Amino acid sequence: MALPIVHYNDPVLRKRGARVTGFDSALARLAADMVDTMHLAEGIGLAAQQVGHALQLCVVDLRGMKKEFAWELDGGRPPLDLLMPLALVNPSVLPLPSEETLYEEGCLSFPGIRGDIARPDTVRVAYQDLHGVPHALFCNGLFGRCIQHEVDHLNGVLFIDRMAKKVRAGLDDDIKALAKTTRAKAPA
Ligand code: ZN
């Protein structure tokens, strides 16, 4: 079931997610709802904060994207169709020595707002699946970028924080207008 997506500048987007300790049906249900929400919004990633939960949980699905990226999971390379949609619980990202790349990112919590962001190309991600089983994932390109964007959300960091000053300044009016709209819709 798709859930309403929280927009900037709702305070939950700035909350660091609590570590998940209960790997139960409620967690599986939330992850499934987040996948539905992401698919309906045609996004490639979604963090729990974006549906109002400050938790260390995000989902990604890159099956619809050009596969100009590589990945290795626990020493193997499962087909993307089996790997995704992928739920990451309690993830931590370690950038590996690689060139930074520039790419125009968007965010479902910032409708219509996009901007160039530099990030490391290749990362190692340690995470648990919905059963609590730990995994080690290496990925690059859009896969690595998407996970970096989502794990930022889990720590209360937003893509506008990662933009160069000049890029951020060019979007300032749109960002302020969005914050105003969000505030107006918030329950009193
Ligand atoms: Zn986002």
Side-chain angles (χ1 to χ4, degrees), residues 50 107 149 153:
Q50 294 181 277
C107 177
H149 178 117
H153 271 298

Side-chain angles (χ1 to χ4, degrees), residues 45 50 106-110 149-150 153 158-159:
Q50 294 181 277
C107 177
L108 294 177
S109 293
F110 290 78
H149 178 117
E150 299 315 327
H153 271 298
L158 300 172
F159 79 146

Side-chain angles (χ1 to χ4, degrees), residues 165-176:
K165 265 199 183 127
K166 213 172 130 187
V167 175
R168 172 72 176 73
L171 295 169
D172 204 45
D173 289 349
D174 291 341
I175 293 167
K176 280 189 180 138

Side-chain angles (χ1 to χ4, degrees), residues 5-50:
I5 295 178
V6 168
H7 290 167
Y8 180 82
N9 194 18
D10 189 300
V12 74
L13 293 175
R14 288 299 186 186
K15 279 192 190 151
R16 196 187 154 82
R19 201 174 163 79
V20 173
T21 52
F23 293 85
D24 53 13
S25 57
L27 182 70
R29 165 52 50 197
L30 177 59
D33 285 348
M34 285 170 58
V35 167
D36 289 347
T37 307
M38 169 177 67
H39 285 160
L40 187 67
E42 298 182 342
I44 58 172
L46 190 74
Q49 277 81 346
Q50 294 181 277

Side-chain angles (χ1 to χ4, degrees), residues 3 10 35 71 83 90 95 101 107 136 144 148 174 186:
L3 306 168
D10 189 300
V35 167
W71 65 95
L83 184 59
N90 301 324
T101 58
C107 177
Q148 290 177 72
D174 291 341

Side-chain angles (χ1 to χ4, degrees), residues 146-166:
C146 180
I147 288 186
Q148 290 177 72
H149 178 117
E150 299 315 327
V151 173
D152 272 351
H153 271 298
L154 304 186
N155 294 308
V157 175
L158 300 172
F159 79 146
I160 55 172
D161 308 337
R162 299 280 190 196
M163 290 174 184
K165 265 199 183 127
K166 213 172 130 187

